[in-house]
Amino acid sequence: MTVHFVGAGPGAVDLITIRGRDLIAAADVIIQAGSLVNPQLLELARPDCRLHDSATMTLDQIVAVMAAGQAQGESVVRLHSGDPSLYGAIHEQMRRLDRLGIAYDICPGVSSLAGAAAALKIEYTVPEATQSVVITRLPGRTPTPPGETVAGFARHGSSLVLFLSTGRLAELSAQLMAGGRAPDDPAAIVHKATWPGQERVIACTVADLAPAAAAAGVSATALVVVGPCLTRSEAESRLYAADFATGLRPAQP
């Protein structure tokens, strides 16, 4: 049998993919990412499905559950929040499974990156305003490579989306300004994007990230968005311009 890494989406139950829903419904064993995954998704599982909360487990314990399920010919789902490829910590799990000769696959999920954009009603890639998005985080117990600093990325002037940094917003502000972002540049904190009844959008500036989050009582489970994507631009894509010819539409005079 195959171990299935499944992206649970950013929060709302109906934002899981159809494939992800079906894998959950067919699973004999589900290892889910604690409070990061909406518990309502587990209601899709069979009554006899065995559930494990990875928040209380080590990597060795997680892999042991996977291996035991595989040895019994069971369907094992490793349920991650958002999309597993972004801060999902799946690299080390897949490496262990490779060593054990256990097959696995990945079911993509809607990332909180997309959920935050929906909450903010923005496009990350606006013509002439911003065509690049940097996804990063402050270093913590998990370090970042020496060349991947927030200050360094800030110097590019592109839009930034920062994961796993909400608990250190004063430091984040300092790093952004060290990279050349102005104190009054627009910023936003999106808490629990797409979670019904829990999503909050906190508009602020680069300098005010920490006090704005403190006033709202937000210290975790949030993304920080900074940069030109937050400013409405008058620029328009040429894609739908009347005088722009495509393979399916001739230019109009």
Side-chain angles (χ1 to χ4, degrees):
M1 295 293 288
T2 299
V3 173
H4 306 286
F5 291 92
V6 176
V13 171
D14 58 355
L15 284 178
I16 194 170
T17 64
I18 294 173
R19 182 186 299 178
R21 177 201 66 192
D22 292 346
L23 287 169
I24 290 172
D28 299 296
V29 180
I30 295 176
I31 309 167
Q32 52 100 9
S35 61
L36 298 177
V37 169
N38 191 329
Q40 291 182 9
L41 283 170
L42 300 177
E43 296 174 8
L44 301 171
R46 303 194 321 256
D48 62 337
C49 178
R50 301 193 303 281
L51 304 177
H52 300 265
D53 185 350
S54 62
T56 64
M57 302 168 72
T58 66
L59 175 60
D60 286 342
Q61 291 171 332
I62 291 169
V63 174
V65 170
M66 293 176 176
Q70 191 268 347
Q72 295 295 320
E74 296 177 319
S75 176
V76 179
V77 165
R78 176 67 169 111
L79 191 60
H80 281 269
S81 59
D83 180 87
S85 68
L86 289 175
Y87 302 107
I90 64 171
H91 176 78
E92 58 263 39
Q93 296 176 69
M94 294 187 296
R95 189 173 58 208
R96 298 287 185 96
L97 294 177
D98 287 337
R99 291 173 183 167
L100 294 170
I102 295 175
Y104 57 86
D105 57 27
I106 300 173
C107 175
V110 177
S111 171
S112 56
L113 174 78
L120 290 165
K121 296 182 173 65
I122 61 169
E123 179 182 349
Y124 286 124
T125 52
V126 178
E128 301 178 36
T130 177
Q131 288 287 285
S132 303
V133 182
V134 175
I135 303 167
T136 191
R137 59 169 293 177
L138 286 172
R141 285 179 293 179
T142 301
T144 56
E148 297 187 11
T149 65
V150 170
F153 286 131
R155 293 188 182 96
H156 290 282
S158 58
S159 295
L160 304 175
V161 180
L162 296 117
F163 283 68
L164 304 168
S165 301
T166 316
R168 299 160 58 198
L169 290 177
E171 180 182 350
L172 179 59
S173 291
Q175 287 286 313
L176 291 167
M177 289 186 285
R181 298 301 169 101
D184 60 353
D185 277 356
I189 302 165
V190 183
H191 177 250
K192 288 205 165 185
T194 81
W195 284 69
Q198 298 184 58
E199 176 185 275
R200 283 188 290 170
V201 173
I202 305 160
C204 57
T205 65
V206 166
D208 290 336
L209 281 166
V218 172
S219 60
T221 326
L223 293 186
V224 177
V225 181
V226 177
C229 65
L230 294 172
T231 303
R232 293 292 185 197
S233 169
E234 296 299 319
E236 296 182 350
S237 168
R238 294 287 298 151
L239 180 59
Y240 299 107
D243 61 348
F244 186 81
T246 72
L248 299 174
R249 186 190 71 236
Q252 300 176 20

